[in-house]
Amino acid sequence: MLDAALHLGVVVMFGASFIPTFEIWMALDQQLNGVAFALAIFALAVVVQSLTWMVMARVLQMVALGWKTTSSTHPWNLWVYRVYIISNVFFQSISMLPCLFGTVFYPPIMRFMGSIVKGNSVLYFGADVMDWPYCTFSNHTVIDNARVTGHHMVYWDFVLSPVAVGGVLHEETFASDTDLPRKESGPWRAHVGKCTKAMPIELAQSLFRSSALKR
């Protein structure tokens, strides 16, 4: 019941997120005419919509992780955290955020979402980032379609922990609860925990399942 109510709340928030864009569109469309103005208004509407979703994602993240985020090792509520994860992926997928990958505008967005970015020479072309406040990115970091997340899980046991990455993360590299100061990581390798040796993703998944069965 709670899960359904939370998802319904997200749907309502998603619908309400279009109100600022709609108001701006209607206000400008009545005053400006012409194809050029219509294209300019449309571009402005896309930017406003993406900014609205970014602010909503930030607020939802504070609710799901708590105000003192990095001091928590487990989500305070599993259902709220699941909604946050789904909404975070949704925000990074359909907004104009991917258009800013590899630009100087993306590091400030990462800082706004709560991550620590050491310098502005961070080229991000990743799949997605989870639990932004738990993530630290060194200067001169290149993330090529890799996943950086502040949690790992065994079935339904979510564990929140800081993760720091640097160097080059190749395609489908997974980093969680680890520190990667090395020059290159991956591709198709999982770095989970404080181990110094990367493992294939399939091996990491099997180890997670075996550890869960022993509990």
Side-chain angles (χ1 to χ4, degrees):
M1 188 68 178
L2 178 60
D3 189 23
L6 290 172
H7 282 84
L8 178 61
V10 171
V11 172
V12 173
M13 290 175 57
F14 176 73
S17 68
F18 289 95
I19 295 178
T21 303
F22 176 79
E23 293 295 335
I24 292 176
W25 179 281
M26 295 302 297
L28 295 179
D29 186 60
Q30 294 176 358
Q31 301 177 11
L32 303 175
N33 298 317
V35 178
F37 288 116
L39 293 176
I41 295 172
F42 177 76
L44 178 62
V46 172
V47 172
V48 171
Q49 188 62 51
S50 296
L51 290 175
T52 303
W53 282 339
M54 183 168 63
V55 172
M56 293 179 65
R58 186 69 172 93
V59 173
L60 186 57
Q61 176 179 265
M62 290 190 295
V63 173
L65 300 180
W67 294 98
K68 297 181 179 179
T69 52
T70 55
S71 62
S72 304
T73 57
H74 289 80
W76 67 273
N77 186 284
L78 180 60
W79 299 107
V80 175
Y81 185 73
R82 286 180 58 195
V83 171
Y84 156 69
I85 291 294
I86 297 173
S87 303
N88 187 58
V89 174
F90 177 81
F91 157 65
Q92 296 183 65
S93 300
I94 71 169
S95 68
M96 66 172 297
L97 204 62
C99 299
L100 302 179
F101 285 176
T103 69
V104 296
F105 302 105
Y106 199 76
I109 293 177
M110 300 168 77
R111 294 189 181 98
F112 173 78
M113 295 302 294
S115 296
I116 298 176
V117 183
K118 300 178 180 179
N120 292 318
S121 298
V122 176
L123 296 179
Y124 182 85
F125 303 94
D128 46 51
V129 176
M130 299 290 181
D131 318 293
W132 298 79
Y134 288 85
C135 302
T136 300
F137 302 88
S138 301
N139 198 19
H140 305 295
T141 299
V142 178
I143 302 176
D144 181 17
N145 198 28
R147 297 179 182 275
V148 181
T149 172
H151 78 268
H152 62 273
M153 60 177 293
V154 180
Y155 293 105
W156 289 111
D157 183 17
F158 286 88
V159 179
L160 299 172
S161 54
V163 55
V165 297
V168 179
L169 276 70
H170 288 284
E171 185 177 7
E172 296 300 334
T173 298
F174 178 83
S176 174
D177 186 25
T178 189
D179 188 354
L180 293 178
R182 64 188 67 191
K183 295 182 178 179
E184 291 191 75
S185 303
W188 289 92
R189 290 294 184 268
H191 301 266
V192 181
K194 305 307 178 183
C195 59
T196 58
K197 185 177 181 180
M199 65 183 73
I201 291 181
E202 294 80 4
L203 177 59
Q205 292 174 342
S206 64
L207 290 176
F208 284 160
R209 295 190 186 98
S210 61
S211 62
L213 293 175
K214 293 179 181 179
R215 297 184 178 183

